[in-house]
Amino acid sequence: MTQAEIKLSSLLLQEHFGEIVEKIGTFLIRTGPQPLRLIVSETGLLLDQQVKKALCVLIQHNLVSYQLQKRGFVEYEAQCRRVLRILRYPRYIYTAKTLYSDTGELLVEELLLNGQMTMSALVRKVADRLTETMEDGKVMEYSEVCSTFVRLADTHFVQRCPMVPETPETPKGPPPPAPTLVINEKDMYLVPRLSLVGKGKRRRSGEEEEEEAEHKAKRLKQDEEGSEPPPDDGIYWQVNLERFHQHFRDQAIVSAVANRMDQVWGSLQRPAGASQCPAGASQHPAGASQCPAGASQHPAGASHLSLLPPPQLEFVGKSGDSGGGMFTVSILWEPSPGPAFSSPFPSCSWFGSRCARIFRLLLRKRHLEQKQVEDFAMIPAKEAKEMLYKLLSQNFVALQEIPKTPDHAPSRTFYLYTVSVASTARMLLHRCYKSVANLIERRQYETRENKRLLEKSQRVEAILASMQATGAEATQLQEIEEMITAPERQQLETLKRNVNKIDASENQVDETIFVLESFIESTAKRP
């Protein structure tokens, strides 16, 4: 990993899990697979109280994996890419809300917050949270939450976690130092049959909470002594991030076609299975989404596609004539702009419109001399030279030498400007990682500078909530609100506005990161 990726990973771990987990996670990212003994000695943390607990947290959230070595010791390895996916959590949650309403949003959010959960525990937790937001007298049934969970599993947005295989009652030898987790592919999205009957519960306050806690402790003790474990005991679920990425990719294809042609053609480009799955994504391999021309979902689309000449529609390819042919949506890059990720960096607009014109020109023409750039872009020689140097110094374009003679004499050498698309994409991806890290540090700085005011605001809000629950009068509530002065309220509003802008910027940069990563991955898979 690059230094920018390591720094961003460290910031994400610290922000979500604290300093101890961040220290161990960053150490594993920097050094690679390490045994427990070396982790303890290098980090200087306590074995039982800190290192083991931190590793448990990282494993629970799929950020660290372990492997039993031949010599008998266990090595722990950080999943670097998975750590960076923490940045995309808000987008996963928002997508679940869009597709499966508030229930789907909370199901995905709880799984991301806890890493792994059983279906029964997850359904109860989400039902309680939804009941809290409902009007008095209304509650959320467990069955409604279960149905949404089943839909998430059917569309592969959640999946089972690997499990410890069943062992014979009388093992032949001592157990291994670490279990080997396995998962059967056909069971990965199989939802256990549970008869969860009940309703969500609201939180109680004061003495009622204490009494409820005592009753709950007694019930747990009784359950441990006599009752059987729940039917889904040991079956844990996690969010399938790759399925979300597939949905994002499909939406990017639709958007790219809509931008290049029009909204009608964009609707025809939806991958096969869109009408069956709310996600609008197919179950096809990453390189293409296929739809038989005669499929019932796209009767009009297929007829229009068959009439369109192939040179005018580079997003869609056709193979075979049986049943009208098989149409394929391509996301792989081609030299002539067209497919979905062919231009992950459509322009160098931060250098000005003329630099953007030169960059797009080189993308289309591939190799041009300086004089040709001047003529095609219709830019004066002096300005074109300055702009080309600016793009060259920032690694957006490259200079290729083609000598006429073996001595490489400048007078007998062609100097061609070109764009190395793959290296430019990697450079932009590196800049995006640095940008997100800077945004996180800025948000932490803003929060740190206003820490005392934020704590005061939280105390006032807690007092107001407590007084409202006990039925306090309006004058009493107003006196409490006046504890925060007008300048302080203005400062809080400014802080809130700045933090919201930073959060929105993080999400926008992450969208760019996803496009660049998808582009690099798709071009790397090309034969």
Side-chain angles (χ1 to χ4, degrees):
M1 294 186 77
T2 63
Q3 290 299 318
E5 291 173 299
I6 293 173
K7 181 180 179 180
L8 178 56
S9 300
S10 175
L11 288 169
L12 291 170
L13 288 173
Q14 183 181 20
E15 194 168 45
H16 287 78
F17 302 104
E19 293 183 1
I20 296 176
V21 173
E22 179 270 327
K23 189 172 184 179
I24 291 176
T26 305
F27 170 74
L28 290 175
I29 290 172
R30 290 183 181 277
T31 59
Q34 297 292 343
L36 183 62
R37 174 182 54 81
L38 198 58
I39 296 173
V40 174
S41 62
E42 291 295 327
T43 59
L45 299 173
L46 300 176
L47 174 61
D48 293 324
Q49 299 176 3
Q50 294 176 322
V51 176
K52 286 186 177 181
K53 289 182 179 179
L55 286 173
C56 285
V57 170
L58 291 168
I59 293 171
Q60 171 80 7
H61 288 267
N62 304 307
L63 304 177
V64 163
S65 61
Y66 60 86
Q67 187 172 5
L68 180 62
Q69 300 298 316
K70 294 181 179 179
R71 296 183 180 180
F73 62 89
V74 179
E75 280 191 341
Y76 298 88
E77 181 178 8
Q79 302 300 309
C80 307
R81 294 296 166 195
R82 183 62 178 75
V83 174
L84 293 173
R85 295 295 172 263
I86 296 175
L87 181 66
R88 207 162 290 159
Y89 279 8
R91 194 177 180 189
Y92 300 141
I93 295 169
Y94 178 75
T95 301
K97 179 183 179 68
T98 304
L99 300 176
Y100 301 101
S101 71
D102 294 342
T103 307
E105 174 192 12
L106 293 185
L107 285 168
V108 171
E109 182 181 336
E110 285 294 332
L111 281 176
L112 290 174
L113 286 174
N114 294 278
Q116 305 172 11
M117 292 183 73
T118 62
M119 178 182 172
S120 56
L122 179 62
V123 167
R124 292 190 181 96
K125 184 69 177 292
V126 170
D128 291 345
R129 288 186 60 182
L130 288 170
T131 301
E132 285 287 334
T133 62
M134 292 181 171
E135 299 176 359
D136 292 339
K138 293 184 178 181
V139 292
M140 175 59 67
E141 298 281 348
Y142 287 169
S143 58
E144 294 183 40
V145 182
C146 282
S147 64
T148 304
F149 182 88
V150 171
R151 291 169 61 201
L152 282 167
D154 288 343
T155 50
H156 298 184
F157 283 100
V158 296
Q159 64 184 16
R160 286 192 183 191
C161 301
M163 302 169 57
V164 179
E166 296 183 1
T167 56
E169 295 182 359
T170 56
K172 296 181 180 180
T180 302
L181 304 179
V182 295
I183 184 68
N184 192 337
E185 280 194 26
K186 65 179 183 179
D187 297 333
M188 192 172 290
Y189 307 102
L190 181 63
V191 179
R193 294 183 179 179
L194 300 177
S195 57
L196 290 176
V197 180
K199 303 175 182 179
K201 299 178 179 62
R202 298 181 187 273
R203 291 181 182 177
R204 301 180 181 180
S205 58
E207 297 178 357
E208 291 182 351
E209 281 190 354
E210 295 178 4
E211 293 178 4
E212 179 66 20
E214 291 179 5
H215 290 308
K216 189 175 181 180
K218 290 179 180 178
R219 285 198 302 269
L220 287 174
K221 188 175 182 181
Q222 291 173 358
D223 291 343
E224 292 174 359
E225 291 175 354
S227 64
E228 296 182 357
D232 65 338
D233 185 42
I235 302 176
Y236 289 87
W237 293 82
Q238 62 186 354
V239 176
N240 184 5
L241 302 187
E242 290 305 316
R243 180 63 180 84
F244 277 96
H245 293 168
Q246 188 182 30
H247 173 69
F248 299 155
R249 183 207 69 191
D250 291 342
Q251 294 301 311
I253 293 174
V254 174
S255 176
V257 179
N259 290 337
R260 181 164 290 269
M261 299 178 185
D262 54 33
Q263 294 297 330
V264 176
W265 280 113
S267 64
L268 296 179
Q269 282 287 108
R270 290 187 184 278
S275 60
Q276 299 172 351
C277 170
S282 64
Q283 301 298 326
H284 301 305
S289 298
Q290 297 179 340
C291 174
S296 59
Q297 297 99 323
H298 311 283
S303 60
H304 284 84
L305 289 172
S306 62
L307 295 174
L308 197 67
Q312 292 179 308
L313 188 60
E314 299 172 4
F315 284 96
V316 175
K318 182 181 177 183
S319 60
D321 296 319
S322 176
M326 182 76 75
F327 290 98
T328 304
V329 178
S330 173
I331 69 169
L332 298 181
W333 180 80
E334 295 294 340
S336 56
F341 297 127
S342 64
S343 183
F345 29 85
S347 67
C348 302
S349 55
W350 50 87
F351 293 136
S353 60
R354 291 192 172 187
C355 279
R357 190 192 309 171
I358 292 174
F359 186 79
R360 286 195 295 265
L361 180 65
L362 290 173
L363 272 178
R364 289 180 176 274
K365 300 293 185 179
R366 290 198 176 186
H367 297 86
L368 290 175
E369 291 185 280
Q370 182 179 326
K371 183 65 170 64
Q372 292 175 307
V373 172
E374 298 166 9
D375 295 339
F376 281 121
M378 294 181 290
I379 297 176
K382 182 179 179 182
E383 291 184 25
K385 185 176 181 180
E386 291 176 355
M387 292 173 185
L388 283 170
Y389 177 76
K390 187 183 294 185
L391 292 171
L392 185 65
S393 63
Q394 295 294 323
N395 297 321
F396 280 96
V397 301
L399 190 61
Q400 185 175 351
E401 298 181 5
I402 302 179
K404 295 179 183 178
T405 56
D407 59 357
H408 287 260
S411 60
R412 294 185 294 274
T413 300
F414 292 110
Y415 294 94
L416 302 179
Y417 288 94
T418 185
V419 175
S420 176
V421 182
S423 62
T424 305
R426 286 191 291 270
M427 181 268 293
L428 287 175
L429 183 61
H430 177 76
R431 289 191 175 190
C432 285
Y433 287 137
K434 290 180 67 175
S435 298
V436 176
N438 291 340
L439 286 168
I440 293 175
E441 288 184 326
R442 181 65 191 183
R443 187 179 66 247
Q444 291 176 347
Y445 170 80
E446 293 280 350
T447 306
R448 189 167 55 249
E449 288 296 304
N450 296 274
K451 182 179 179 181
R452 189 170 299 176
L453 182 58
L454 287 170
E455 290 175 351
K456 180 180 178 180
S457 175
Q458 290 171 358
R459 287 196 302 270
V460 170
E461 289 176 1
I463 295 171
L464 284 172
S466 177
M467 294 182 68
Q468 286 173 350
T470 56
E473 296 179 359
T475 54
Q476 293 177 312
L477 297 176
Q478 186 177 358
E479 288 178 3
I480 299 299
E481 290 177 351
E482 290 175 355
M483 291 173 63
I484 298 180
T485 63
E488 289 176 334
R489 289 191 183 280
Q490 186 176 0
Q491 190 176 349
L492 283 170
E493 286 297 322
T494 303
L495 173 63
K496 183 179 179 181
R497 187 166 54 251
N498 291 341
V499 170
N500 288 340
K501 285 182 180 179
I502 292 172
D503 290 340
S505 299
E506 286 182 33
N507 293 331
Q508 290 172 355
V509 176
D510 179 63
E511 290 181 13
T512 304
I513 289 174
F514 175 75
V515 172
L516 291 169
E517 288 178 341
S518 300
F519 169 76
I520 293 170
E521 182 182 357
S522 64
T523 53
K525 290 180 178 178
R526 295 185 67 185

